[in-house]
Amino acid sequence: MGFLDEASDLLGKGMNAAKDMVTEGAVVAKGAVAGMAVEQRPFMKAFVRMCSDGWAQGWNERNGGNASYRMTVEEATACKPYFYDTPSSWVPLKTAVPQLGGAFFACTAAGSFMRNLAGDVAGNMGIVELSEAGDSWRVVWGFKDGGRPTSELEAHLACHRVRMEVTYGVSRVVYHAHPAHTVALSLLLPATPRALSRALWCAMTECAMVFPEGVGAVDVMVPGGEALAQATAREAERHGAVVWAAHGLLVTGATFDEAFGLMHTIEKAAQICLLARAADGGSARFDTQVSDDILRAIAASVGKTLDESLL
Ligand code: 2HA
Ligand code: ZN
């Protein structure tokens, strides 16, 4: 006989103790369902898979990297019954994002290891609600045991704001990681959109199709800082991906597949670029060169236009 069966059987016999058991059983059951319901949602499964894949790729060592997702109204409504009865108190943002006021974001926890996310979702990530004014956040689900959102929350929100605007609401995912070849390329080349975009486009022709707008770039900055957040947001106005010099890469996308695929493509192109340079003794004067006209034609072949200012 299961626990609840046993409890109702006792209740049937009119025993007060059984009422306590049923009450307790209901609370236990609600707690168990609360975790399941949110964790089983397709957006949460896709979130966790992206992070686990990033770990498997070697992009998210230790607590490196972070991810966030702007939930749809429907997703937030479906999850609400499982939110904490008492959310955390409001925490002010350094830079308000009124355009995102009232939105809910799933995001990784500060200091959490992506390696551990799949094994304990509510312990390594959670959901925050933004105030209607978009000037503060509070925890409504997850971040168990006193956890809090990623140290790069301000950078994520600043990017969500910009990407939501420039994609007319389509962009929902922001993912930051430390892919080694991209970081190595950021050491080798000047931290400018032109230098990095050209190197990546010319390393692998697919790049001109996947990110014809090129990649943005910010110089070496303090991780988790306000300056990094604002510089990234400025770059995100024109680029879906931003290289953080000597640090990592931030990508955005409408879906987890898009964001992950963008990072994968950039990282692979960076690897090819470095392999070719290393094999050639460090030069970039290869026998095969990719011309600007070919790059334009590649983008045009999928109905896209290359950012001419980067050629
Ligand atoms: O440690 O990657 O940028 C998390 C980070 C900060
Ligand atoms: Zn980082």
Side-chain angles (χ1 to χ4, degrees):
M1 195 186 275
F3 170 78
L4 284 175
D5 293 339
E6 204 174 302
S8 27
D9 186 49
L10 286 170
L11 189 61
K13 291 179 186 147
M15 292 174 65
N16 279 342
K19 284 190 199 148
D20 295 342
M21 283 183 76
V22 169
T23 311
E24 195 184 320
V27 170
V28 169
K30 189 187 173 210
V33 170
M36 289 289 288
V38 173
E39 288 169 27
Q40 294 306 316
R41 303 246 157 228
F43 80 87
M44 285 293 274
K45 288 189 161 186
F47 190 116
V48 172
R49 180 174 171 222
M50 181 182 75
C51 295
S52 299
D53 287 352
W55 154 252
Q57 289 289 334
W59 303 340
N60 294 105
E61 79 292 341
R62 199 173 181 274
N63 64 321
N66 25 72
S68 63
Y69 171 72
R70 182 169 59 86
M71 293 164 63
T72 64
V73 171
E74 292 76 22
E75 286 161 345
T77 305
C79 288
K80 264 180 199 166
Y82 306 99
F83 287 169
Y84 292 128
D85 292 337
T86 312
S88 75
S89 45
W90 291 102
V91 180
L93 286 166
K94 291 194 184 79
T95 302
V97 278
Q99 301 85 345
L100 300 174
F104 290 81
F105 291 86
C107 70
T108 49
S112 67
F113 290 21
M114 291 213 182
R115 178 175 176 238
N116 296 336
L117 181 59
D120 181 10
V121 176
N124 290 287
M125 65 177 289
I127 297 175
V128 294
E129 176 185 11
L130 286 200
S131 62
E132 284 302 324
D135 59 358
S136 52
W137 56 266
R138 64 179 179 179
V139 171
V140 296
W141 184 88
F143 299 116
K144 267 185 347 198
D145 306 323
R148 50 184 284 131
T150 166
S151 57
E152 303 285 9
L153 181 66
E154 299 260 353
H156 279 244
L157 292 177
C159 279
H160 277 293
R161 174 185 67 75
V162 169
R163 296 307 296 173
M164 186 183 76
E165 282 171 0
V166 300
T167 65
Y168 304 102
V170 169
S171 184
R172 293 197 172 273
V173 180
V174 173
Y175 175 37
H176 162 62
H178 303 159
H181 299 93
T182 305
V183 178
L185 196 65
S186 81
L187 300 173
L188 190 71
L189 299 178
T192 65
R194 187 162 186 274
L196 290 165
S197 300
R198 283 187 63 85
L200 295 166
W201 283 342
C202 293
M204 191 171 79
T205 52
E206 196 78 6
C207 293
M209 298 183 187
V210 177
F211 52 98
E213 77 283 8
V215 293
V218 299
D219 218 330
V220 185
M221 288 187 183
V222 178
E226 178 62 5
L228 178 59
Q230 294 315 316
T232 306
R234 274 194 300 278
E235 291 294 294
E237 284 172 18
R238 283 177 53 197
H239 311 282
V242 183
V243 175
W244 292 355
H247 180 160
L249 177 63
L250 179 142
V251 293
T252 62
T255 63
F256 293 96
D257 274 352
E258 253 193 30
F260 186 88
L262 181 54
M263 186 168 295
H264 210 177
T265 307
I266 291 170
E267 171 61 358
K268 188 160 196 185
Q271 182 177 17
I272 291 167
C273 181
L274 293 174
L275 277 171
R277 282 182 86 133
D280 201 34
S283 95
R285 292 183 303 277
F286 311 134
D287 287 347
T288 299
Q289 293 286 337
V290 179
S291 71
D292 289 356
D293 280 344
I294 287 284
L295 290 175
R296 286 189 192 99
I298 294 166
S301 74
V302 288
K304 296 181 179 174
T305 308
L306 223 57
D307 183 336
E308 288 282 327
S309 69
L310 301 176
L311 288 174

